[in-house]
Amino acid sequence: MTPPHSSTADSHPYLRAATAGVRHHTRALSRTAPPPQTDRTHLDTLHAHLAELHGLLNQLADRTRPALPGAGRHLAEARTRLWQAATDIHAAFHLLPAPAADAAECRPDRLPEGPPFLTICQRHLAAGHLVRRKTTPTDIRAPHTTACVR
């Protein structure tokens, strides 16, 4: 994987740190033998990352589109594809078995955000509101057709 192009070494340090974290995690997973089974916590964290990236792409598309409509459309397309990825992660989360917890330990009624399995659903619903304001169902179902223009 090549590093992103940037004009200065200090541009977007938080994005570079997040990218480095994802790379580190990917390498750590590939070094374990046998590969660990994906669990709900892992998918919940990955979904949170995708939801934040979706929000960032939304802002970038909105800011870019007035001055550079073509680039803005590509960013909007990327935002839609990221939503599709988050939707699939959300679906996979619900297909994984729930962790078996001791009934005395597990008290979801005492958690301020509700039961742990609902946090991914709440995040997904919140991102879904943005998707419904910015895209149509046809856009979401359309195949990815953009290509490099150079």
Side-chain angles (χ1 to χ4, degrees), residues 13-73:
Y14 297 116
L15 283 175
R16 286 196 346 253
T19 302
V22 170
R23 274 192 208 127
H24 174 74
H25 185 71
T26 303
R27 282 189 207 117
L29 281 175
S30 66
R31 281 186 239 144
T32 59
Q37 182 179 356
T38 302
D39 62 359
R40 285 179 148 207
T41 305
H42 193 189
L43 290 185
D44 185 36
T45 305
L46 185 58
H47 185 273
H49 190 73
L50 289 177
E52 291 301 321
L53 283 174
H54 181 264
L56 176 61
L57 273 175
N58 181 58
Q59 288 181 5
L60 291 173
D62 287 349
R63 290 181 181 181
T64 304
R65 186 169 271 161
L68 301 164
R73 278 192 304 275

Side-chain angles (χ1 to χ4, degrees), residues 100-146:
D102 182 11
E105 263 181 47
C106 186
R107 294 297 309 260
D109 55 318
R110 291 186 181 174
L111 296 174
E113 68 275 5
F117 65 88
L118 290 180
T119 57
I120 189 172
C121 297
Q122 291 167 347
R123 183 184 325 110
H124 199 68
L125 285 172
H129 291 295
L130 176 65
V131 170
R132 284 189 292 280
R133 285 196 318 262
K134 302 285 183 167
T135 59
T136 66
T138 304
D139 293 335
I140 292 173
R141 286 190 299 269
H144 181 57
T145 57
T146 59

